[in-house]
């Protein structure tokens, strides 16, 4: 089929395409407009390794090979902190200390999705796995351009709960990293003290004393510094108006995509009719 004939056929269907585009746009716009919106809680962080004078030398291992200049992945204690925010332990903490399970269950059981779940006998009650899936999909840490700061965002339907969950996640991640570092330091101090008590060589004992002093200083740093993983640049806060999803942007995108979709479908139908007639 020639291009001129295809364009002529689409032009002949212009009123049908216009009506189909209007109906499709109206139905999709209605879905977007009634889509439940969420409040976004956010905080700005900086890795403690780059903002603490003693932490950077006592609590962060120095790699043998430095990463590439374009490598912006988080490392050290801050990388462990970000991974902790999405862990199953964090999900269980939120499930035990916040009403997120009740709100998830209520939301899954309401409306048309809830009716479909009851019709097909699907699970409605939420559990810790659902909370972890929510954290993996919704929690978004992003680096702020070329700076060392990171913005962590967490959307949820309940404004106060969104802020509460983000604050709890920050405290949990920081406490987790601090506890791991403290346990590691205590184990190494105990082992070094036992080795020093049995070591007969003076040179080896001096080396062990140096290692023991380093780990004891690291333990003191964890007690003195308020942040060993992530230092708060901007405290957790939540917006006053729900912004997710962005309805105006989605409506504009639909206004562009729907006519193109209708024209592509019309072109496919014309090609199929021409092929069938041939």
């Amino acid at each position: 089929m020639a291009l001129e004939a295809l364009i002529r056929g689409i032009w002949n269907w212009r009123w049908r395409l216009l009506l189909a585009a209007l109906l499709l746009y109206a139905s999709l716009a209605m879905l977007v407009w009634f889509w439940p919106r969420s409040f976004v809680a956010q905080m700005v962080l900086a890795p403690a390794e780059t903002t603490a004078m003693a932490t950077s030398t006592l609590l962060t291992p120095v790699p043998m090979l430095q990463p590439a200049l374009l490598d912006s992945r988080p490392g050290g204690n801050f990388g462990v902190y970000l991974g902790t925010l999405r862990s199953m332990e964090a999900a269980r903490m939120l499930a035990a200390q916040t009403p997120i399970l009740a709100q998830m269950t209520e939301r899954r059981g309401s409306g048309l999705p809830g009716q479909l779940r009851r019709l097909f006998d699907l699970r409605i009650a939420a559990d810790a796995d659902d909370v972890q899936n929510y954290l993996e999909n919704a929690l978004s840490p992003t680096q702020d351009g070329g700076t060392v700061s990171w913005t962590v965002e967490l959307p949820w339907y309940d404004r106060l709960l969104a802020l509460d969950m983000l604050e709890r996640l920050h405290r949990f991640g920081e406490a987790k990293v601090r506890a791991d570092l403290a346990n590691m330091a205590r184990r190494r101090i105990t082992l070094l003290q036992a080795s020093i008590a049995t070591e007969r060589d003076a040179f080896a004992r001096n080396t062990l004393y140096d290692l023991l002093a380093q780990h004891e200083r690291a333990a003191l740093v964890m007690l003195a510094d308020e942040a060993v993983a992530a230092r708060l640049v901007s405290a957790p806060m939540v917006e006053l108006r729900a912004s997710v999803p962005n309805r105006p942007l989605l409506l504009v995108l639909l206004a562009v995509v729907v006519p193109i979709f209708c024209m592509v479908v019309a072109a496919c139908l014309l090609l199929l009719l021409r092929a069938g007639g041939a």
Side-chain angles (χ1 to χ4, degrees), residues 221-256:
V221 166
M222 284 183 289
L223 294 177
D225 201 344
E226 63 179 4
V228 297
R231 190 172 301 278
L232 280 175
V233 178
S234 176
M237 60 186 63
V238 64
E239 58 188 2
L240 297 177
R241 292 182 296 272
S243 62
V244 176
N246 191 339
R247 288 175 179 170
L249 178 60
L250 291 177
L251 292 176
V252 171
L253 292 177
L254 285 177
V256 176

Side-chain angles (χ1 to χ4, degrees), residues 13-27 258-259 261-262 265:
W13 285 3
R14 60 186 182 277
W15 300 114
R16 300 177 185 178
L17 292 178
L18 180 59
L19 179 61
L22 290 176
L23 293 176
L24 181 59
Y25 180 81
S27 59
V258 168
F261 173 78
C262 292
V265 171

Side-chain angles (χ1 to χ4, degrees), residues 91-221:
R92 291 175 178 171
M93 181 272 298
L94 291 180
Q97 300 180 8
T98 65
I100 185 173
L101 288 182
Q103 293 190 8
M104 278 187 171
T105 302
E106 180 183 1
R107 189 162 194 84
R108 293 171 64 174
S110 61
L112 181 59
Q115 296 177 4
L116 293 176
R117 286 179 178 274
R118 294 186 185 91
L119 179 62
F120 294 102
D121 196 20
L122 299 177
R123 181 175 59 88
I124 297 180
D127 54 18
D129 291 336
D130 297 317
V131 180
Q132 186 185 23
N133 292 334
Y134 157 71
L135 291 177
E136 291 178 351
N137 296 326
L139 188 69
S140 59
T142 55
Q143 191 170 13
D144 299 336
T147 65
V148 298
S149 61
W150 289 67
T151 300
V152 180
E153 296 181 344
L154 183 68
W156 187 246
Y157 311 108
D158 188 338
R159 179 175 177 271
L160 296 180
L161 182 57
L163 179 61
D164 183 46
M165 288 192 298
L166 190 61
E167 292 175 343
R168 290 179 184 274
L169 285 174
H170 171 67
R171 292 195 298 266
F172 176 81
E174 182 69 26
K176 173 67 174 169
V177 174
R178 184 183 296 273
D180 291 343
L181 290 174
N183 291 333
M184 180 180 64
R186 282 195 296 267
R187 289 195 304 268
R188 290 183 177 181
I189 289 174
T190 302
L191 180 61
L192 288 171
Q193 289 175 345
S195 300
I196 291 173
T198 58
E199 182 60 49
R200 301 299 180 185
D201 185 31
F203 179 78
R205 290 188 66 183
N206 291 333
T207 304
L208 293 176
Y209 275 124
D210 291 338
L211 292 175
L212 180 61
Q214 292 178 10
H215 287 82
E216 288 178 345
R217 287 198 298 269
L220 289 177
V221 166

